[in-house]
Amino acid sequence: MDAKERELLQLIEKSGRLETSTIAKLMGISEEETKQIIEKLENEKVILGYSAIINWTKGTDEGAVTAMIDVKVTPKRGVGFDKVAERIYRFPEVKAVYLMSGVYDLSVSIEGKTMAEVGRFVSEKLSTIDSVISTTTHFILKKYKHDGLVFSENEEDKRIVVSP
């Protein structure tokens, strides 16, 4: 990856809504070159998608229940943790899966409509996978900061400019 590609990625990581023309000006390159770099990075699966960070507690009662689940597994011979992780990330409830160091092997982030729904996922889907030895579920009670952005009710915090 060259310096231009890295700079472009850093710009869109901070704000995925930047126009191609704005990115070009910030980088000091042509709009056409910017488009070519973006297309190349998308084709190479370096840029996987664009998303917005939503504070679902504002103006809606659709707050999903988010849980972080620590999972201890027995790795499969020849493929390690990859096959177990793949089986887990294929469930639609799963938002993220990470291989971890420490006591647990995988960290799984899931969303459900209720705590009971998350509980059913753990007991009926996750825990029944052959390689899963044990799980510990942690429910997110309140989000303070996510991807470098502060979720705050505090008036003082609202005046702070957050840059990831």
Side-chain angles (χ1 to χ4, degrees):
M1 180 176 304
D2 66 24
K4 285 182 185 176
E5 292 171 344
R6 188 174 312 282
E7 183 180 2
L8 184 139
L9 290 171
Q10 289 170 338
L11 286 170
I12 64 173
E13 184 178 44
K14 288 180 185 174
S15 179
R17 293 188 65 185
L18 286 175
E19 302 260 344
T20 307
S21 59
T22 304
I23 296 169
K25 286 176 191 167
L26 289 169
M27 292 179 61
I29 61 176
S30 73
E31 207 171 323
E32 186 57 38
E33 186 178 1
T34 303
K35 287 177 184 176
Q36 289 172 355
I37 293 170
I38 291 171
E39 186 177 335
K40 176 183 182 272
L41 294 171
E42 288 173 344
N43 290 338
E44 292 175 351
K45 303 289 187 224
V46 175
I47 299 174
L48 297 173
Y50 303 88
S51 63
I53 299 169
I54 310 297
N55 184 350
W56 288 106
T57 62
K58 297 282 188 181
T60 179
D61 40 347
E62 289 187 31
V65 175
T66 304
M68 300 296 296
I69 306 165
D70 298 327
V71 184
K72 198 178 277 192
V73 302
T74 304
K76 297 281 187 187
R77 184 173 306 233
V79 292
F81 296 99
D82 294 346
K83 285 294 180 193
V84 181
E86 181 180 345
R87 184 144 180 226
I88 293 169
Y89 71 60
R90 292 197 180 279
F91 290 112
E93 301 90 339
V94 174
K95 300 301 172 197
V97 179
Y98 305 98
L99 178 62
M100 306 295 288
S101 63
V103 177
Y104 290 90
D105 303 306
L106 299 173
S107 180
V108 179
S109 174
I110 75 159
E111 283 186 4
K113 291 181 180 157
T114 64
M115 286 186 171
E117 185 177 290
V118 171
R120 277 192 303 278
F121 171 81
V122 173
S123 63
E124 296 173 9
K125 295 180 179 178
L126 187 59
S127 296
T128 60
I129 296 172
D130 290 337
S131 298
V132 172
I133 298 169
S134 66
T135 64
T136 301
T137 303
H138 309 275
F139 287 97
I140 305 295
L141 302 177
K142 183 176 181 180
K143 223 181 252 192
Y144 292 100
K145 187 174 183 177
H146 181 79
D147 282 348
L149 298 175
V150 174
F151 288 65
S152 178
E153 298 296 322
N154 185 333
E155 288 300 318
E156 184 178 313
D157 287 345
K158 290 178 184 175
R159 290 190 302 269
I160 297 171
V161 176
V162 180
S163 59

